[in-house]
Amino acid sequence: GVRGVGEVVTGSAATADFTLRRAINAAFRLGTTEHAQALVALAADTAAPAASRAEALAALGDWPAPSGRDRITGLWRPLPARDASLALAALRPAAERFLSRSSAQPDAVRIAAASAVEKLGVTTAGATLFELFLDTEQKADVRLAALRARLAPMVPSPMTPSCIWRSYSRSLTCRHSPSSSHPGTSSIQC
């Protein structure tokens, strides 16, 4: 069987970080169901560094359309386009856990999870993404990533922050009603 990505790490923190990056890259390049599940397991491991957890989620997001460059060496080592269903099947059950406001996830993990959800088209996390966006205690980049992932099915690419905001504001259902406090005027209520 495939060992967990995080099980190969021993030594100093710098060595562990480098080793984890190599293990993530190896799992990404091998591309089997077990490797996708190992990436999700590493991303869920709260003992692992946040950067490595975010990198595992980024690898899942890149699964269907991998870059031609190796994630570690930068050398040209193209991989063919792959079926997103392997990564999707691995991430879907855990997506809400990474995005939920009630779970104590580092910002980097939430942002990477939202990006992976967007890229893979995980449709089951819509409500959780919207709740994360509405949470004013979250940092702006976390909220923007959540909104971007939530609106991805409705907005053409590329999604710039202004494009995201326009799409969100258009999605609000507003109704026009007369204002009782100022005769002859009206107000918009959303």
Side-chain angles (χ1 to χ4, degrees):
V2 175
R3 291 176 52 193
V5 175
E7 293 177 23
V8 299
V9 180
T10 58
S12 71
T15 303
D17 183 50
F18 181 73
T19 305
L20 272 175
R21 288 187 64 223
R22 297 287 301 220
I24 291 166
N25 187 53
F28 174 75
R29 290 193 64 81
L30 291 170
T32 67
T33 301
E34 293 81 14
H35 292 105
Q37 291 168 347
L39 289 172
V40 171
L42 173 63
D45 184 358
T46 57
S52 297
R53 296 172 63 201
E55 178 67 22
L57 289 165
L60 282 170
D62 292 341
W63 195 276
S67 168
R69 297 221 176 264
D70 186 280
R71 297 172 79 89
I72 301 295
T73 65
L75 296 174
W76 187 253
R77 296 179 59 201
L79 291 171
R82 301 185 278 194
D83 184 10
S85 66
L86 297 179
L88 182 61
L91 181 59
R92 185 182 294 128
E96 297 211 20
R97 190 172 0 137
F98 295 124
L99 298 167
S100 173
R101 294 180 310 154
S102 62
S103 68
Q105 300 291 344
D107 290 343
V109 171
R110 285 187 199 268
I111 291 168
S115 178
V117 162
E118 175 187 351
K119 289 178 178 179
L120 295 173
V122 177
T123 57
T124 57
T128 305
L129 285 164
F130 195 65
E131 288 173 11
L132 188 60
F133 164 69
L134 293 176
D135 185 357
T136 57
E137 293 182 13
Q138 298 295 323
K139 290 185 180 173
D141 52 350
V142 172
R143 296 177 70 204
L144 183 60
L147 181 61
R148 180 184 192 116
R150 175 65 179 100
L151 293 177
M154 299 177 267
V155 179
S157 291
M159 288 178 37
T160 62
S162 61
C163 175
I164 292 169
W165 183 250
R166 276 192 311 275
S167 297
Y168 171 69
S169 61
R170 287 179 189 150
S171 71
L172 294 175
T173 304
C174 297
R175 60 186 180 273
H176 188 266
S177 66
S179 174
S180 58
S181 60
H182 298 91
T185 63
S186 60
S187 64
I188 300 291
Q189 298 176 347
C190 297

Coordinates of all heavy atoms in Angstrom, one line a residue, residues 71-124:
R71 N 7.2 20.5 -9.7 CA 6.9 21.4 -8.5 C 8.1 21.7 -7.6 O 8.1 22.6 -6.9 CB 5.7 20.8 -7.7 CG 4.4 20.7 -8.5 CD 3.4 20.0 -7.7 NE 2.7 20.8 -6.6 CZ 1.7 21.5 -6.9 NH1 1.1 21.5 -8.0 NH2 1.1 22.2 -5.9
I72 N 9.1 20.8 -7.7 CA 10.3 20.9 -6.8 C 11.4 21.5 -7.6 O 12.0 22.5 -7.2 CB 10.7 19.6 -6.2 CG1 9.5 19.0 -5.4 CG2 11.9 19.7 -5.4 CD1 9.1 19.8 -4.1
T73 N 11.8 20.9 -8.7 CA 13.0 21.2 -9.4 C 12.8 22.3 -10.4 O 13.8 23.0 -10.8 CB 13.6 20.0 -10.2 OG1 12.7 19.6 -11.2 CG2 13.9 18.9 -9.2
G74 N 11.6 22.5 -10.9 CA 11.3 23.5 -11.9 C 11.7 23.0 -13.3 O 11.5 23.8 -14.3
L75 N 12.1 21.8 -13.4 CA 12.5 21.3 -14.7 C 11.2 20.9 -15.5 O 10.2 20.6 -14.9 CB 13.4 20.0 -14.6 CG 14.8 20.3 -13.9 CD1 15.5 18.9 -13.7 CD2 15.6 21.2 -14.8
W76 N 11.4 20.9 -16.8 CA 10.2 20.5 -17.7 C 10.0 19.0 -17.6 O 10.8 18.2 -18.1 CB 10.5 21.0 -19.1 CG 9.3 20.8 -20.0 CD1 9.2 19.9 -21.0 CD2 8.1 21.6 -20.0 NE1 8.0 20.0 -21.6 CE2 7.3 21.0 -21.0 CE3 7.7 22.6 -19.2 CZ2 6.0 21.5 -21.2 CZ3 6.4 23.1 -19.5 CH2 5.6 22.6 -20.5
R77 N 9.0 18.6 -16.9 CA 8.6 17.2 -16.8 C 7.1 17.1 -16.9 O 6.4 16.9 -15.9 CB 9.1 16.6 -15.4 CG 10.6 16.6 -15.3 CD 11.0 16.1 -13.9 NE 10.5 14.7 -13.7 CZ 10.4 14.2 -12.5 NH1 10.7 14.8 -11.4 NH2 9.9 12.9 -12.4
P78 N 6.6 17.3 -18.1 CA 5.1 17.4 -18.3 C 4.4 16.1 -17.9 O 4.9 15.0 -18.1 CB 4.9 17.7 -19.7 CG 6.2 17.3 -20.4 CD 7.3 17.4 -19.4
L79 N 3.3 16.3 -17.3 CA 2.3 15.2 -17.1 C 1.1 15.3 -18.0 O 0.7 16.5 -18.3 CB 1.9 15.2 -15.6 CG 2.9 14.9 -14.5 CD1 2.3 15.2 -13.2 CD2 3.3 13.4 -14.6
P80 N 0.5 14.3 -18.4 CA -0.7 14.4 -19.2 C -1.9 14.9 -18.3 O -1.8 14.8 -17.1 CB -1.0 13.0 -19.6 CG -0.3 12.1 -18.6 CD 0.9 12.9 -18.1
A81 N -2.8 15.5 -19.0 CA -4.1 15.9 -18.3 C -4.7 14.7 -17.6 O -4.6 13.6 -18.2 CB -5.0 16.5 -19.2
R82 N -5.2 14.8 -16.4 CA -5.7 13.7 -15.7 C -7.2 13.9 -15.3 O -7.7 15.0 -15.3 CB -4.9 13.5 -14.4 CG -3.5 13.2 -14.7 CD -2.7 12.9 -13.4 NE -2.4 14.1 -12.7 CZ -1.5 14.1 -11.7 NH1 -0.9 13.0 -11.3 NH2 -1.3 15.2 -11.1
D83 N -7.8 12.8 -15.0 CA -9.2 12.8 -14.6 C -9.3 13.5 -13.3 O -8.7 13.0 -12.3 CB -9.7 11.4 -14.6 CG -11.2 11.3 -14.3 OD1 -11.9 12.3 -14.3 OD2 -11.7 10.2 -14.1
A84 N -10.1 14.5 -13.2 CA -10.3 15.2 -11.9 C -11.1 14.4 -10.9 O -11.0 14.7 -9.7 CB -11.0 16.5 -12.2
S85 N -11.7 13.4 -11.3 CA -12.6 12.6 -10.4 C -11.8 12.0 -9.2 O -12.4 11.8 -8.1 CB -13.4 11.6 -11.1 OG -12.6 10.6 -11.7
L86 N -10.6 11.6 -9.4 CA -9.8 11.0 -8.4 C -9.5 12.1 -7.2 O -9.7 11.8 -6.1 CB -8.4 10.5 -8.9 CG -8.4 9.4 -9.9 CD1 -7.0 9.0 -10.3 CD2 -9.1 8.2 -9.3
A87 N -9.1 13.3 -7.6 CA -8.9 14.3 -6.6 C -10.2 14.8 -6.0 O -10.3 15.0 -4.8 CB -8.1 15.5 -7.3
L88 N -11.2 14.9 -6.9 CA -12.5 15.3 -6.4 C -13.1 14.3 -5.4 O -13.6 14.7 -4.3 CB -13.5 15.4 -7.6 CG -14.9 15.9 -7.3 CD1 -14.9 17.3 -6.7 CD2 -15.7 15.9 -8.6
A89 N -13.0 13.0 -5.6 CA -13.5 12.0 -4.7 C -12.7 12.0 -3.4 O -13.3 11.8 -2.3 CB -13.3 10.6 -5.3
A90 N -11.4 12.4 -3.4 CA -10.6 12.4 -2.2 C -11.0 13.7 -1.4 O -11.0 13.7 -0.2 CB -9.1 12.4 -2.5
L91 N -11.1 14.8 -2.1 CA -11.3 16.1 -1.4 C -12.8 16.3 -0.9 O -13.0 16.9 0.1 CB -10.9 17.3 -2.3 CG -11.0 18.7 -1.7 CD1 -10.2 18.8 -0.5 CD2 -10.7 19.7 -2.8
R92 N -13.8 15.9 -1.7 CA -15.2 16.2 -1.4 C -15.5 15.9 0.1 O -16.1 16.7 0.7 CB -16.1 15.4 -2.4 CG -17.6 15.8 -2.1 CD -18.5 15.1 -3.0 NE -18.3 15.4 -4.4 CZ -18.1 14.6 -5.4 NH1 -18.1 13.3 -5.2 NH2 -18.0 15.0 -6.6
P93 N -15.2 14.7 0.6 CA -15.7 14.4 2.0 C -15.0 15.3 3.0 O -15.5 15.5 4.1 CB -15.3 13.0 2.2 CG -14.9 12.4 0.9 CD -14.6 13.5 0.0
A94 N -13.8 15.9 2.7 CA -13.1 16.7 3.7 C -13.2 18.2 3.5 O -12.8 18.9 4.3 CB -11.6 16.3 3.7
A95 N -13.7 18.6 2.4 CA -13.7 20.0 2.0 C -14.4 20.9 3.1 O -13.8 21.9 3.4 CB -14.5 20.2 0.7
E96 N -15.5 20.5 3.6 CA -16.2 21.3 4.6 C -15.4 21.4 5.9 O -15.4 22.4 6.5 CB -17.6 20.8 4.8 CG -18.4 20.9 3.5 CD -19.9 21.2 3.8 OE1 -20.2 21.6 4.9 OE2 -20.6 20.9 2.9
R97 N -14.6 20.4 6.2 CA -13.8 20.4 7.4 C -12.7 21.5 7.3 O -12.4 22.1 8.2 CB -13.2 19.0 7.6 CG -12.5 18.8 8.9 CD -12.0 17.4 9.1 NE -12.4 16.5 8.0 CZ -11.6 15.5 7.5 NH1 -10.4 15.4 8.0 NH2 -11.9 14.8 6.6
F98 N -12.1 21.6 6.1 CA -11.1 22.6 5.8 C -11.7 24.0 5.8 O -11.0 25.0 6.2 CB -10.4 22.4 4.5 CG -9.6 21.1 4.5 CD1 -9.8 20.2 3.5 CD2 -8.6 20.8 5.4 CE1 -9.1 19.0 3.4 CE2 -7.9 19.6 5.4 CZ -8.1 18.7 4.4
L99 N -12.9 24.2 5.4 CA -13.5 25.5 5.2 C -14.4 26.0 6.4 O -14.7 27.1 6.5 CB -14.3 25.5 3.9 CG -13.5 25.2 2.7 CD1 -14.4 24.9 1.5 CD2 -12.6 26.4 2.4
S100 N -14.9 25.1 7.2 CA -15.8 25.4 8.2 C -15.3 26.4 9.2 O -14.1 26.4 9.6 CB -16.2 24.1 9.0 OG -17.0 24.5 10.1
R101 N -16.1 27.4 9.5 CA -15.7 28.4 10.5 C -15.5 27.9 11.9 O -14.7 28.4 12.6 CB -16.8 29.5 10.6 CG -17.0 30.3 9.3 CD -18.0 31.3 9.4 NE -19.3 30.8 9.9 CZ -20.2 31.5 10.6 NH1 -20.0 32.8 10.8 NH2 -21.3 31.0 11.0
S102 N -16.1 26.7 12.2 CA -15.9 26.1 13.5 C -14.6 25.4 13.7 O -14.2 25.1 14.8 CB -17.1 25.2 13.8 OG -17.2 24.2 12.9
S103 N -14.0 25.1 12.6 CA -12.7 24.4 12.7 C -11.6 25.4 12.7 O -11.6 26.4 12.0 CB -12.5 23.4 11.5 OG -12.3 24.1 10.3
A104 N -10.6 25.1 13.5 CA -9.4 26.0 13.7 C -8.4 25.7 12.6 O -7.4 25.0 12.9 CB -8.9 25.9 15.1
Q105 N -8.6 26.2 11.4 CA -7.6 26.0 10.3 C -6.8 27.3 10.1 O -7.3 28.4 10.2 CB -8.4 25.7 9.0 CG -9.2 24.4 9.1 CD -8.4 23.2 9.2 OE1 -7.2 23.1 8.9 NE2 -9.1 22.1 9.6
P106 N -5.5 27.1 9.8 CA -4.7 28.3 9.4 C -5.3 28.9 8.1 O -5.9 28.2 7.3 CB -3.3 27.7 9.2 CG -3.3 26.4 9.9 CD -4.7 25.9 9.8
D107 N -5.1 30.2 8.0 CA -5.5 30.9 6.8 C -5.0 30.3 5.5 O -5.8 30.2 4.6 CB -5.1 32.4 6.9 CG -5.9 33.2 8.0 OD1 -6.9 32.7 8.4 OD2 -5.4 34.3 8.3
A108 N -3.8 29.9 5.5 CA -3.2 29.3 4.3 C -3.9 28.1 3.9 O -4.1 27.8 2.7 CB -1.7 29.0 4.5
V109 N -4.3 27.3 4.9 CA -5.1 26.0 4.6 C -6.5 26.4 4.1 O -6.9 25.8 3.1 CB -5.1 25.1 5.8 CG1 -6.0 24.0 5.6 CG2 -3.7 24.7 6.2
R110 N -7.1 27.3 4.7 CA -8.5 27.7 4.2 C -8.4 28.2 2.7 O -9.3 27.9 1.9 CB -9.1 28.8 5.1 CG -9.6 28.3 6.4 CD -10.3 29.4 7.1 NE -10.4 29.1 8.5 CZ -11.4 28.5 9.1 NH1 -12.4 28.1 8.4 NH2 -11.4 28.3 10.4
I111 N -7.4 29.1 2.5 CA -7.3 29.7 1.1 C -7.0 28.6 0.1 O -7.6 28.5 -1.0 CB -6.2 30.8 1.1 CG1 -6.7 32.0 1.9 CG2 -5.9 31.2 -0.3 CD1 -5.6 33.0 2.2
A112 N -6.1 27.7 0.4 CA -5.7 26.6 -0.5 C -6.9 25.6 -0.7 O -7.2 25.1 -1.8 CB -4.5 25.8 0.0
A113 N -7.7 25.4 0.4 CA -8.9 24.5 0.3 C -9.9 25.2 -0.6 O -10.5 24.5 -1.5 CB -9.4 24.2 1.7
A114 N -10.1 26.5 -0.4 CA -11.1 27.2 -1.3 C -10.7 27.1 -2.7 O -11.5 26.9 -3.6 CB -11.3 28.6 -0.8
S115 N -9.4 27.3 -3.0 CA -8.9 27.3 -4.4 C -9.0 25.9 -5.0 O -9.4 25.7 -6.1 CB -7.4 27.7 -4.4 OG -6.9 27.6 -5.7
A116 N -8.7 24.8 -4.2 CA -8.9 23.5 -4.7 C -10.4 23.1 -5.0 O -10.7 22.5 -6.0 CB -8.3 22.5 -3.7
V117 N -11.2 23.6 -4.1 CA -12.7 23.4 -4.3 C -13.1 24.1 -5.6 O -13.9 23.5 -6.4 CB -13.5 24.0 -3.0 CG1 -14.9 24.2 -3.4 CG2 -13.3 23.0 -1.9
E118 N -12.6 25.3 -5.8 CA -12.9 26.0 -7.0 C -12.4 25.3 -8.3 O -13.2 25.1 -9.2 CB -12.3 27.4 -7.0 CG -12.5 28.2 -8.2 CD -11.7 29.5 -8.2 OE1 -11.1 29.9 -7.1 OE2 -11.6 30.2 -9.3
K119 N -11.2 24.9 -8.3 CA -10.6 24.2 -9.4 C -11.2 22.9 -9.7 O -11.3 22.5 -10.9 CB -9.1 24.1 -9.2 CG -8.3 25.4 -9.3 CD -6.8 25.1 -9.0 CE -6.0 26.4 -9.1 NZ -4.6 26.1 -8.8
L120 N -11.6 22.1 -8.7 CA -12.1 20.8 -8.9 C -13.6 20.8 -9.0 O -14.2 19.8 -9.4 CB -11.7 19.9 -7.7 CG -10.2 19.6 -7.6 CD1 -9.9 18.8 -6.3 CD2 -9.7 18.8 -8.8
G121 N -14.3 21.9 -8.7 CA -15.7 22.0 -8.9 C -16.5 21.2 -7.8 O -17.5 20.6 -8.1
V122 N -16.0 21.3 -6.6 CA -16.7 20.7 -5.5 C -18.0 21.5 -5.2 O -17.9 22.6 -4.6 CB -15.8 20.6 -4.2 CG1 -16.6 20.0 -3.0 CG2 -14.6 19.8 -4.5
T123 N -19.1 20.9 -5.5 CA -20.3 21.7 -5.4 C -21.0 21.6 -4.0 O -21.9 22.3 -3.7 CB -21.3 21.2 -6.4 OG1 -21.6 19.8 -6.3 CG2 -20.8 21.6 -7.8
T124 N -20.5 20.6 -3.2 CA -21.2 20.4 -1.9 C -20.8 21.4 -0.9 O -21.3 21.4 0.2 CB -20.8 18.9 -1.4 OG1 -19.4 18.8 -1.4 CG2 -21.4 17.9 -2.3

